[in-house]
Amino acid sequence: MLWNGGTGVAKEYRSKGVGKILIESTLSILKEEGVDLATLEAISNNTKAISLYKNMGYLIYDNLEYLTLKGKLLQNPIKDSNRKYNVERVAPQQIGQLLFYKTMNPWQTQWQSAKNGEGIIVKDDSGNELGYAYYQKIFNSQGRHLSTILFQCESKPDLTDSEEIVYFMLGEVFGDFKDDIIRTIPNLPITKSELPLTILKQIGFQTIAQQVYMTKEM
C-alpha cells in the first residue's frame, strides 16, 4: 500500500489537464514498483478533484473528520469504568504489530506519522489485548504542554465492553481534561471508526474539516 501525501496544481494551470497527467504519472510509478493499493484524501467539497480521482479509478473508501477540543473542561467527561484494565506503555510501532491494528486508516493516522509519540495497549487480567491508542504531546521550549494529537484509539472488534475500553483509553491519553491545551484527532474515519468518533463527539470534540478517503487497487 502507498499513500499519496498530497497533489496540487497551481491556480493558473488548473483545468488544463495537469492534474490528470500528475495522477497518471504517479500510477505508472506505482505499477512499476509493484504497489498493490494506492490511497489518497481530498477535501469533501473539492468536487473537481474527487471527480478526477474517480475517473482515474479511485473509489471512496470512507469519509473522514478532523476533530478538535480546545481548553480545559470544568467537568471530566470520562465515564467511570466498572472494570479496571491493565495498561502497557509501548512505542507506536509496537502497536502496528497488533492483529487488529487498523492498517487501512489514512496515512496521517498511521504509527509512522506519530514521531516521538507514545502508545498504550490495554489488556485484561489474563493478558489479552483489548485495545490500543497512540498519541503525541507537544511542548514549547519552556516545557509547557501545548497540545496532544491522538492518531488512533481503537478497541478490539466485537467486545461487549468496547465503549468502556475506548473511554478508559481516552482518559489515559487526555487525563481529566483540566489542561488548557488543544486536543486534535486527524482524519478519523466515520464508518470504520464509528465508536471512537461517537464517543469523542459525546465528550465535546468538534469537527473542523471533512475529507474523503479514496483507494485504488493496482
Side-chain angles (χ1 to χ4, degrees), residues 23-202:
I23 298 301
E24 285 178 337
S25 298
T26 300
L27 294 176
S28 177
I29 293 172
L30 299 188
K31 288 180 180 179
E32 291 177 2
E33 295 296 326
V35 174
D36 59 350
L37 185 70
T39 72
L40 54 79
E41 299 83 40
I43 301 297
S44 295
N45 61 8
N46 191 347
T47 55
K48 289 185 177 180
I50 295 172
S51 178
L52 168 63
Y53 298 140
K54 285 182 176 179
N55 289 336
M56 302 303 295
Y58 282 87
L59 300 174
I60 294 179
Y61 180 79
D62 208 335
N63 292 280
L64 310 172
E65 293 196 2
Y66 192 106
L67 305 175
T68 187
L69 177 61
K70 299 180 180 180
K72 56 186 177 181
L73 302 184
L74 297 178
Q75 185 175 354
N76 187 351
I78 300 297
K79 300 177 182 179
D80 290 331
S81 175
N82 294 324
R83 293 184 55 185
K84 297 300 180 184
Y85 302 100
N86 300 311
V87 177
E88 180 182 355
R89 303 284 171 178
V90 298
Q93 51 263 48
Q94 292 174 268
I95 291 175
Q97 304 303 311
L98 293 175
L99 294 178
F100 58 98
Y101 172 69
K102 294 204 168 180
T103 59
M104 278 297 296
N105 276 28
W107 67 271
Q108 299 96 333
T109 73
Q110 296 291 334
W111 67 259
Q112 293 91 335
S113 296
K115 296 180 180 179
N116 302 316
E118 306 171 51
I120 59 172
I121 296 176
V122 172
K123 300 181 179 181
D124 61 19
D125 289 337
S126 299
N128 297 309
E129 296 153 341
L130 305 178
Y132 68 84
Y134 54 95
Y135 54 97
Q136 181 181 4
K137 293 184 177 181
I138 309 297
F139 299 86
N140 65 12
S141 58
Q142 286 75 44
R144 179 173 176 268
H145 185 192
L146 300 178
S147 63
T148 295
I149 305 168
L150 175 61
F151 296 95
Q152 287 193 31
C153 180
E154 300 287 346
S155 64
K156 188 176 181 180
D158 303 321
L159 295 178
T160 57
D161 57 342
S162 288
E163 184 173 331
E164 279 188 277
I165 293 168
V166 172
Y167 267 108
F168 177 83
M169 292 190 295
L170 290 175
E172 290 292 315
V173 173
F174 295 117
D176 57 9
F177 286 78
K178 291 183 180 179
D179 291 337
D180 188 12
I181 63 172
I182 299 173
R183 307 166 190 85
T184 59
I185 294 92
N187 285 350
L188 186 65
I190 291 176
T191 302
K192 303 299 182 181
S193 294
E194 181 180 5
L195 178 60
L197 176 66
T198 299
I199 292 174
L200 287 164
K201 287 190 172 183
Q202 289 173 350

